Amino acid sequence: MGIVSPGFRGRRRSTAPDLPPGQYLTTDFPVLSAGPTPKVPVDRWEFVISTEAGAEYRWTWDELMGLPQETPTVDIHCVTRWSKLGTRWQGVSLDTLLAGIDTDARYALAHSYGGYTTNLPLTDLREGRAWVAHRFDDAPLAPEHGGPARLLVPHLYFWKSAKWVRGIRLLVDDTPGFWETGGYHDYGDPWREQRYQGD
Ligand SMILES: Nc1nc2c(c(=O)[nH]1)N[C@H]1C(S)=C(S)[C@@H](COP(=O)(O)O)O[C@H]1N2
Ligand SMILES: [Mo]
């Protein structure tokens, strides 16, 4: 009794189970952008969800801020192999934004100020798995990381988390986005290492 084994800490569960295959841990926050950072002042910012029937649902910045806010702490995984664990965000759940929208669509195409697009099944935006995030680490989201607001879909590779998000089109047919057209996987599950088409 009272003797602390020097090996005790070493046998504690490591963070390795949190790391998908082929990923390494990083503690900084790399910036990956395919083009220049668009400047979107919040007084001209809007977010639009359009349905397959042509209906449009719009939110101004103030309206987004007036919706229930969530503070997810999530792990993020970039296809370039860095992962960052326990990142802290604030945003509005897509469940909140999609509530009351009448749609039979099965697919979504997120699009960004600046022209970036990325596709995902609509179901992956539901059930508490996706947010329009506007704060990171208790501060407004930095422009290079997608501020004023970005999509946050941490269970898929981070290219699905469209920075400077401007809207989501709900679609009957799956429509590949920017990286998916360029050979990246249509779905992008980091745990199944779905990096490229055919993985
Ligand atoms: N609009 C837009 N969103 C984007 C990208 C981009 O180039 N443009 N890059 C994607 C990729 S490949 C990754 S890994 C993450 C990087 O986000 P970060 O720069 O905040 O790390 O944003 C994703 N969202
Ligand atoms: Mo990425």
Side-chain angles (χ1 to χ4, degrees), residues 18-20 23-32 72-89 129 131 133 136-137 141 145 150-161 163 188 190-191:
D18 296 338
L19 213 48
Q23 297 294 110
Y24 66 85
L25 270 181
T26 185
T27 50
D28 62 2
F29 196 174
V31 172
L32 277 104
T73 296
V74 295
D75 303 340
I76 55 180
H77 312 290
C78 176
V79 73
T80 63
R81 297 183 183 274
W82 58 265
S83 289
K84 192 169 166 61
L85 304 184
T87 61
R88 295 167 55 242
W89 304 80
R129 293 187 293 170
W131 296 266
F136 177 81
D137 256 359
L141 183 59
H145 286 300
R150 75 181 298 161
L151 199 59
L152 175 65
V153 193
H155 70 285
L156 300 176
Y157 279 124
F158 208 34
W159 88 77
K160 300 285 182 179
S161 294
K163 302 198 282 189
W191 296 96

Side-chain angles (χ1 to χ4, degrees), residues 12 15 18 30 40 42 54 67 71 88 100 103 105 107 139 165 188 191 197:
R12 289 174 65 144
T15 54
D18 296 338
V40 194
V42 293
L67 292 173
T71 52
R88 295 167 55 242
T103 181
Y107 298 98
V165 69
W191 296 96
Q197 276 174 45

